[in-house]
Amino acid sequence: MGDPGTTTPANMVSHECDDPRASVHTSDWKPNKNNGNTFGAPNSRSTVGANPLNVRPQQDVDAGGKISDASFYMPPPKGRGTNGPDGDNGRLGSVAELGYVHTGNNAATGSIPWRTLRLQVNNYTTANPSLPDWALLDLFSVANTGTTSNGGLYKPHGTSVGAA
């Protein structure tokens, strides 16, 4: 390390966090593994594709049980939304979008990276499991944007079956 005014970017050590959303505690930030920097390159601290930590609540995993970044979704920038009579006005298109809500931040002790609302069954093996995140889905609903005419729904293959 040298004078910040004269140190070149190649000689700077970058500090990185595993999950960009889990960066609220000082312990979330660690120096680059190679004592260099990753400016403009992939993060050296990422655990995506690795085995998850043995923590509760669980981290997001893929079908193979490895840490997944599938929940890493960034909403459009402010002013880019589709408000108005033909837009979504910021509403969720599906309750499944709640799975983008990051829940791993802990400003007191350090964050759990790659942890969002878990909308899948957990794999706890203890007799005292925690209430699953997906139980929250009972509190939300999606607006009915379907047709108001039910006539065609009950007429299989255009027959008169179900006609009023």
Side-chain angles (χ1 to χ4, degrees):
M1 296 274 196
D3 177 17
T6 60
T7 303
T8 63
N11 293 326
M12 292 181 186
V13 175
S14 62
H15 279 69
E16 306 164 345
C17 58
D18 184 359
D19 179 351
R21 301 165 298 180
S23 58
V24 297
H25 191 266
T26 56
S27 68
D28 296 334
W29 292 90
K30 296 176 177 57
N32 178 288
K33 288 182 178 180
N34 302 320
N35 290 324
N37 67 60
T38 54
F39 302 146
N43 186 339
S44 72
R45 292 287 178 175
S46 178
T47 57
V48 171
N51 290 321
L53 300 172
N54 186 17
V55 294
R56 280 191 181 200
Q58 291 174 248
Q59 292 173 285
D60 299 334
V61 294
D62 60 19
K66 303 293 185 185
I67 294 177
S68 170
D69 64 352
S71 64
F72 191 63
Y73 168 78
M74 298 301 287
K78 183 178 179 180
R80 302 268 180 166
T82 53
N83 292 325
D86 296 326
D88 61 8
N89 295 309
R91 284 183 243 133
L92 298 177
S94 166
V95 291
E97 290 185 35
L98 293 171
Y100 293 134
V101 176
H102 181 73
T103 59
N105 284 338
N106 186 334
T109 60
S111 303
I112 299 173
W114 308 112
R115 169 67 175 102
T116 58
L117 282 176
R118 188 175 176 89
L119 302 180
Q120 61 201 72
V121 178
N122 62 42
N123 62 6
Y124 300 149
T125 57
T126 63
N128 187 15
S130 301
L131 184 65
D133 290 346
W134 51 263
L136 289 171
L137 293 178
D138 289 341
L139 302 175
F140 296 91
S141 65
V142 177
N144 181 4
T145 58
T147 179
T148 57
S149 171
N150 293 334
L153 295 176
Y154 301 108
K155 295 181 185 176
H157 308 294
T159 66
S160 62
V161 175

